[in-house]
């Protein structure tokens, strides 16, 4: 769909202003829409449960800040009904195209830079933003700018997956620890960032309080999957985690024996393939931090 004019939608004007990429390399041309689609399908039950925490009502207007491939836009739009509306905002052109392809009639998808999006003041009753703030150079400043788009007393929800270490190989904590450290080393070297930058995502509650939000509270869920897996879970774990996040790029960061064992567990052609084991048990945390804009 085509977004209505920014003034009428309460939406930002497009354009990224030529700003430098985010700390994880995000920019207009960055495209990981398929990864986002797989995660949203995998975690849909838990994400919908988190959306319920916003206590949305029909007729409300909601901003999805960093909407990615747009699945949550549809879930939010269903809560506010045709009388309400949702604006999804994302920097990536590919993500915006994916989101527009599935956006319902009461939603507008806009490409803009979250770091300086000129949102209309008090345009929204609620803001939803998941797995987004860690992609920005100054999360507290971004939260403050977004708060200006909330009506007095409006709700702000920041969500983040995997604040706690995931459990993938329940039977081999040692290998899992080595793999997690290899992933951190890969990200440190690829994006030239230190460990503090990688772990700053855990500070969501403090960031929201620093931005002036009130009644800030946090709640976490476990995304838990066991064998046999549903199709969405197998696709996310097999393709996004085993192939894309781990894969061949971790080989330089692991001892050769550890890498060989990892490949045996992650290769669907191998008899030890983890996702077909009867003892497969996966845990990932999802945390939602809720705050409220000051009332006047």
């Amino acid at each position: 769909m085509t977004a209505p004019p920014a003034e009428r939608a309460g939406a930002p004007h497009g354009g990224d202003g030529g700003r430098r990429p985010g700390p994880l390399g995000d920019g207009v041309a960055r495209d990981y829409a398929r990864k986002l689609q797989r995660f949203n399908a995998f975690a849909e039950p838990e994400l919908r449960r988190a959306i319920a925490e916003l206590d949305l009502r029909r007729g409300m207007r909601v901003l999805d800040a960093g909407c990615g491939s747009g699945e949550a836009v549809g879930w939010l739009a269903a809560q506010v009904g045709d009388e309400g509306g949702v604006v999804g905002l994302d920097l990536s052109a590919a993500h915006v195209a994916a989101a527009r392809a599935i956006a319902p009639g009461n939603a507008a998808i806009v490409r803009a830079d979250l770091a300086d999006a000129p949102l209309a003041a008090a345009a929204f009753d609620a803001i939803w933003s998941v797995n987004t703030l860690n992609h920005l150079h100054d999360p507290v400043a971004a939260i403050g700018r977004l708060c200006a788009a909330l009506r007095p007393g409006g709700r702000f929800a920041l969500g983040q997956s995997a604040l706690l270490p995931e459990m993938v190989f329940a039977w081999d904590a040692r290998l899992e620890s080595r793999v997690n450290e290899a992933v951190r080393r890969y990200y440190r070297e690829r994006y030239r960032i230190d460990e503090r930058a990688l772990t700053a995502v855990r500070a969501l509650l403090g960031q929201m309080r620093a931005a002036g939000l009130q009644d800030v509270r946090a709640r976490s869920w476990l995304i838990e999957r066991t064998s046999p897996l549903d199709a969405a879970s197998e696709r996310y774990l097999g393709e996004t985690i085993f192939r894309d996040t781990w894969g061949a790029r971790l080989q330089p960061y692991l001892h050769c024996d550890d890498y060989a064992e990892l490949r045996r567990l992650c290769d669907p052609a191998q008899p030890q393939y983890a996702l077909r084991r009867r003892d497969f048990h996966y845990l990932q945390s999802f945390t939602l931090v809720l705050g409220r804009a000051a009332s006047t």
Side-chain angles (χ1 to χ4, degrees):
M1 63 172 290
T2 301
E7 294 79 8
R8 181 159 55 88
H13 299 273
D16 58 31
R19 300 181 68 88
R20 61 182 173 136
L24 297 179
D26 294 280
V28 175
R30 187 92 185 273
D31 178 7
Y32 46 95
R34 288 181 62 83
K35 174 182 177 181
L36 297 173
Q37 290 163 345
R38 290 193 293 260
F39 174 76
N40 288 333
F42 158 72
E44 180 177 349
E46 291 79 11
L47 292 172
R48 284 181 175 269
R49 198 176 309 154
I51 284 174
E53 294 287 310
L54 276 171
D55 193 26
L56 298 176
R57 297 185 299 278
R58 299 184 73 84
M60 284 185 167
R61 293 186 54 77
V62 183
L63 172 68
D64 185 346
C67 67
S69 51
E71 285 75 18
V73 169
W75 304 333
L76 293 163
Q79 296 292 309
V80 300
D82 292 339
E83 309 95 311
V86 178
V87 174
L89 184 156
D90 204 277
L91 174 62
S92 163
H95 299 172
V96 165
R100 285 178 177 166
I102 63 171
N106 61 340
I109 309 298
V110 179
R111 192 188 67 76
D113 190 341
L114 191 61
D116 61 3
L119 294 158
F124 299 101
D125 299 288
I127 294 176
W128 168 264
S129 186
V130 169
N131 291 338
T132 297
L133 269 291
N134 57 315
H135 293 263
L136 303 178
H137 290 288
D138 191 342
V140 175
I143 294 170
R145 283 191 291 270
L146 289 170
C147 282
L150 273 177
R151 64 165 177 78
R155 304 294 298 278
F156 198 128
L158 283 182
Q160 183 65 44
S161 57
L163 293 189
L164 299 175
E166 296 164 283
M167 183 179 79
V168 184
F169 303 142
W171 57 88
D172 195 339
R174 186 204 62 83
L175 178 62
E176 195 169 88
S177 176
R178 298 285 175 85
V179 171
N180 286 337
E181 175 55 30
V183 171
R184 287 194 293 270
R185 287 180 59 197
Y186 169 83
Y187 275 95
R188 287 197 300 266
E189 292 186 14
R190 177 176 178 181
Y191 297 111
R192 296 185 176 90
I193 53 180
D194 63 23
E195 190 73 9
R196 286 183 294 262
L198 287 173
T199 58
V201 67
R202 298 171 63 182
L204 293 180
L205 186 141
Q207 291 167 354
M208 291 185 73
R209 286 179 172 163
L213 285 157
Q214 301 178 353
D215 304 324
V216 178
R217 60 183 176 88
R219 182 177 179 187
S220 296
W221 294 265
L222 280 179
I223 301 173
E224 186 168 24
R225 304 290 185 266
T226 59
S227 178
L229 296 174
D230 61 88
S233 296
E234 184 160 358
R235 188 177 306 111
Y236 170 73
L237 293 166
E239 298 179 21
T240 300
I241 303 299
F242 290 0
R243 184 191 67 194
D244 297 344
T245 302
W246 294 353
R249 69 187 189 180
L250 291 191
Q251 186 170 10
Y253 305 99
L254 288 168
H255 185 277
C256 59
D257 291 341
D258 289 334
Y259 183 73
E261 177 62 16
L262 181 67
R263 297 318 309 149
R264 283 192 291 271
L265 290 169
C266 294
D267 184 351
Q270 296 295 319
Q272 298 180 49
Y273 183 51
L275 302 188
R276 285 198 292 266
R277 289 178 58 137
R278 289 173 57 85
D279 58 352
F280 183 77
H281 184 187
Y282 177 80
L283 293 174
Q284 179 187 136
S285 65
F286 179 79
T287 298
L288 190 74
V289 182
L290 285 160
R292 191 181 298 278
S295 299
T296 56

